[in-house]
Amino acid sequence: MISRDPTAFFEHARTLAPDFGAAIARAAFLVAPDGFARAEQSAGDNRYMAAAADFDPGRAGAQHRALHLALSQTLPTISFAGDADTPDALFPNNVFATVRAAGAAPRYLVGRMRHPVRQREAERADIRGFFEQVLGYEERDLSRQSHPCELTGALVIDRARGLGYAGLSERCDERGAALMHEAFGLRATLLFDLAPGEYHTNVVLAVLAGRAALVSPAGFADPAVAAAIAGFYGPRGIVLDAAEQAGFVANAIALSTYTVWMSAGAARAARPATRQALAAAGFAVVAVELDAIEAAGGSLRCCVGEVF
């Protein structure tokens, strides 16, 4: 089911058991910020990106290493080398993703990026080889068709239920969303327009271990869609304000059943009510300082690729 109608979508979603697959990843992968710099093509539709003078490669590299070390205390985490020709590659979840649905062979997906500077990332033989030759995953390559579909940047997934939330923008059109729906093998996907100036759904929405959601209505063209998503998760549908969105609070990820990871800046931006709601949902917040990396227009969730 692919629908733009939140009412019909959630009527269907409420019939689905949380048995699609594991709600949290079993490992994570990163790409180091080697050659860290402002990617001018990406900056054209990423309003969160700082000016070139605000990029600090040394600090970004140190923060990325600290992130790797911290994540490794929770789950197996590997880091691939970066490349100065692909300065956005430290956000690999837009380009590579995995799915392991119940009863299906595990597969890895390669996304179709909008900008040529990011399309080069999809050609990396080492990352493809890791998934295909080392892990034995089947490949689903979407990178060579014409419709942008920037994977789990554009598509936020409730992995427990097999639900997708696809925010449409220049980085994901309707056909691209349908291709991702099929490639991930999802049970249902809700399509909606992001607000003008927004580029990725994972800046305005996070689903945490299938049992809670962080939702920023300011990032949706129609705030009623945000309200419907939050309502589906009941008291664990946590509504963020615009300042929290700007602080990357929604760019969070649950990497264990009871922890949600976000940048230290996001943790500082989270209101007391948001922290209390996360605690009521059973989540402790783990924060890692990423201010230098956030200059590139993404935050912690963007850095973390998930291996299911």
Side-chain angles (χ1 to χ4, degrees):
M1 173 188 186
I2 301 176
S3 178
R4 273 186 169 271
D5 182 347
T7 300
F9 176 84
F10 286 114
E11 284 179 356
H12 178 62
R14 289 185 177 92
T15 70
L16 302 176
D19 59 358
F20 180 77
I24 54 174
R26 60 196 185 106
F29 65 95
L30 310 172
V31 175
D34 301 321
F36 184 69
R38 178 181 164 99
E40 293 300 330
Q41 289 177 9
S42 299
D45 62 349
N46 183 344
R47 65 184 180 86
Y48 298 93
M49 194 175 288
D54 295 326
F55 280 65
D56 184 339
R59 183 170 171 80
Q63 289 181 349
H64 198 269
R65 287 190 292 274
L67 173 64
H68 187 183
L69 178 62
L71 293 174
S72 295
Q73 308 308 305
T74 295
L75 77 174
T77 306
I78 66 168
S79 183
F80 294 95
D83 184 339
D85 287 336
T86 56
D88 282 333
L90 77 162
F91 302 135
N93 79 303
N94 307 155
V95 188
F96 297 97
T98 65
V99 61
R100 180 187 291 263
R107 68 177 71 104
Y108 78 97
L109 283 62
V110 186
R112 168 63 158 80
M113 308 304 293
R114 180 186 179 215
H115 296 295
V117 68
R118 301 222 61 189
Q119 291 168 9
R120 293 198 288 268
E121 296 174 43
E123 300 305 319
R124 287 192 56 154
D126 57 340
I127 299 179
R128 287 174 178 255
F130 173 75
F131 287 119
E132 192 164 354
Q133 299 169 25
V134 177
L135 296 185
Y137 282 25
E138 295 179 355
E139 180 189 76
R140 190 65 61 88
D141 190 350
L142 305 179
S143 69
R144 294 181 173 90
Q145 51 80 43
S146 61
H147 296 273
C149 49
E150 299 199 355
L151 298 188
T152 54
L155 178 71
V156 171
I157 302 175
D158 182 330
R159 299 275 185 165
R161 298 175 180 83
L163 300 176
Y165 302 102
L168 304 182
S169 70
E170 292 177 316
R171 299 193 183 207
C172 179
D173 63 16
E174 285 200 23
R175 179 57 183 155
L179 289 168
M180 290 192 294
H181 170 89
E182 188 277 332
F184 278 104
L186 299 176
R187 291 166 167 168
T189 295
L190 179 65
L191 305 183
F192 52 89
D193 295 316
L194 295 177
E198 296 296 343
Y199 75 107
H200 270 165
T201 314
N202 72 7
V203 180
V204 303
L205 174 65
V207 174
L208 306 174
R211 71 175 195 271
L214 296 168
V215 188
S216 177
F220 291 69
D222 182 356
V225 176
I229 295 172
F232 179 68
Y233 294 93
R236 294 173 176 173
I238 304 166
V239 177
L240 307 178
D241 66 18
E244 288 176 301
Q245 177 187 323
F248 289 113
V249 176
N251 199 244
I253 185 171
L255 291 172
S256 69
T257 305
Y258 301 109
T259 56
V260 57
W261 290 71
M262 61 179 65
S263 73
R268 290 189 290 269
R271 294 173 296 161
T274 297
R275 286 182 163 275
Q276 291 166 9
L278 285 168
F283 289 108
V285 174
V286 180
V288 181
E289 190 63 70
L290 294 177
D291 63 299
I293 286 172
E294 288 173 338
S299 191
L300 191 146
R301 196 276 169 269
C302 300
C303 290
V304 179
E306 297 169 283
V307 181
F308 283 89

